[in-house]
């Protein structure tokens, strides 16, 4: 097998150390054939810090004199791709599930966890959908977490560029829930109050307290090593209520990774705990599948 080319002018040792730092801090692994991404992602940091190469950056990291440098390096390497109402069919199924769950629970407040929420578009999309879907019912608790302190700060501020606001957000929702501020758009206090944003390391930290009716962890497992991926799936399964559901990304699966979760027949692409006997699909869910 031909070895993956390393970035020009960068030693294999420097790239390996940076990849190792990323995995140690976040559980996320950069594949050897994507080592070029390390140099690309860190170029702005090199310029800002006055380093001429990744080797100089690594030397400073190993020296340990600047405690914040490792944090900045990891932040720069993280992938924060997100958009509003990403995969609309999934979001609509979430709305159907929440209606079904709310009817079945007879007034108990539902709980949702958006794990790996990035800059907040996913949980804010859920909040908009559920507020418009059931305006008179008790609103679910929505907990949104990410390993990056920088993106959680951005999510809490609810400030988005014109490009970000146009990616998937219907004009009707934009007008109702956001206000223009300069060149950006800022979420209304009412919308932001519906989501609890917290920093959380999915690979290392315990799940947020309590059990959840729905957990979304989309396109996060892709970046984890197989061992950590299995451990995270077990953690997510333990955080679900017996009748709760887990949503993964379109290219992610639990098959071959854990025995704690199995595919859900009522909601396509969703999963539930293996100790929950497969129940007949709720009428609303069946209707959504037709």
């Amino acid at each position: 097998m031909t070895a993956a080319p390393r970035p020009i002018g960068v030693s294999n040792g420097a790239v390996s150390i940076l990849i190792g730092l990323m995995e140690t801090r976040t559980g996320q692994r950069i594949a050897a054939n994507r080592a070029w991404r390390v140099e690309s992602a860190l170029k702005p940091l090199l310029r800002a810090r006055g380093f001429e190469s990744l080797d100089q950056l690594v030397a400073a990291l190993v020296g340990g004199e600047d405690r914040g440098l490792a944090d900045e390096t990891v932040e720069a390497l993280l992938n924060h791709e997100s958009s509003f109402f990403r995969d609309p069919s999934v979001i609509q199924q979430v709305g159907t599930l929440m209606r079904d769950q709310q009817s079945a629970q007879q007034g108990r407040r539902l709980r949702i966890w958006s794990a790996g929420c990035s800059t907040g578009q996913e949980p804010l999309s859920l909040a908009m959908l559920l507020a418009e879907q059931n305006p008179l019912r008790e609103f679910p608790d929505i907990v949104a977490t990410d390993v990056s302190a920088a993106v959680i700060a951005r999510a809490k501020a609810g400030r988005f560029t014109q490009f970000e606001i146009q990616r998937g957000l219907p004009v009707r929702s934009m007008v109702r829930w956001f206000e223009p501020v300069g060149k950006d758009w800022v979420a209304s206090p009412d919308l932001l109050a519906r989501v609890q944003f917290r920093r959380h390391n999915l690979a290392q930290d315990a799940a947020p307290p309590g059990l959840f009716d729905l957990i979304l962890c989309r396109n996060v497992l892709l970046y984890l090593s197989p061992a950590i991926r299995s451990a995270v799936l077990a953690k997510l399964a333990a955080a679900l209520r017996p009748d709760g559901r887990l949503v993964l990304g379109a290219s992610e699966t639990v098959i071959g990774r854990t025995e704690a979760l199995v595919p859900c027949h009522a909601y396509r692409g969703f999963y539930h705990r293996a100790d929950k006997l497969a129940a007949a699909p709720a009428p609303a869910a069946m209707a959504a599948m037709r």
Side-chain angles (χ1 to χ4, degrees), residues 32-264:
N33 63 355
R34 290 181 59 82
W36 56 266
R37 181 175 168 270
V38 174
E39 185 180 35
S40 176
L42 291 177
K43 278 183 178 179
L45 177 62
L46 295 180
R47 288 195 297 268
R49 287 290 198 141
F51 296 119
E52 294 183 359
S53 67
L54 292 186
D55 290 303
Q56 286 189 4
L57 170 62
V58 167
L61 288 169
V62 173
E65 295 180 1
D66 188 338
R67 295 183 179 181
L69 184 58
D71 292 337
E72 291 181 45
T73 302
V74 171
E75 288 281 0
L77 289 172
L78 287 168
N79 183 357
H80 301 309
E81 179 68 18
S82 187
S83 62
F84 287 101
F85 293 94
R86 183 178 57 180
D87 299 327
S89 62
V90 172
I91 299 299
Q92 291 303 319
Q93 280 200 95
V94 167
T96 301
L97 171 64
M98 291 295 96
R99 280 197 301 266
D100 294 343
Q101 293 279 46
Q102 204 158 37
S103 298
Q105 298 304 328
Q106 297 181 345
R108 178 179 62 78
R109 190 167 190 174
L110 302 179
R111 302 188 72 233
I112 300 171
W113 177 16
S114 171
C117 70
S118 187
T119 42
Q121 285 93 323
E122 177 178 88
L124 292 177
S125 296
L126 297 177
M128 287 183 275
L129 173 72
L130 299 177
E132 294 168 3
Q133 176 176 288
N134 294 311
L136 300 180
R137 293 197 176 188
E138 187 172 21
F139 196 80
D141 283 328
I142 302 179
V143 177
T145 65
D146 198 277
V147 69
S148 168
V151 300
I152 285 296
R154 279 201 60 202
K156 287 181 177 180
R159 192 177 186 114
F160 300 93
T161 66
Q162 185 71 38
F163 173 76
E164 291 169 329
I165 209 74
Q166 289 178 332
R167 292 188 68 193
L169 185 65
V171 173
R172 176 177 54 83
S173 297
M174 180 182 70
V175 172
R176 176 177 177 181
W177 295 105
F178 293 83
E179 292 288 341
V181 178
K183 295 182 179 181
D184 297 334
W185 290 79
V186 178
S188 69
D190 180 38
L191 179 60
L192 291 173
R194 296 172 186 266
V195 181
Q196 305 166 44
F197 289 105
R198 306 174 186 172
R199 187 181 184 185
H200 176 269
N201 189 323
L202 194 59
Q204 298 177 6
D205 298 338
L211 297 178
F212 294 90
D213 298 276
L214 173 69
I215 299 175
L216 298 99
C217 185
R218 298 193 289 167
N219 302 320
V220 177
L221 301 181
L222 292 172
Y223 301 101
L224 305 180
S225 67
I228 295 177
R229 192 178 303 155
S230 295
V232 166
L233 283 170
K235 184 183 302 184
L236 296 175
L240 280 174
R241 289 187 179 277
D243 58 349
R245 298 293 185 269
L246 168 68
V247 185
L248 300 178
S251 59
E252 298 171 321
T253 182
V254 305
I255 298 173
R257 300 297 181 188
T258 181
E259 296 181 356
L261 294 157
V262 293
C264 174

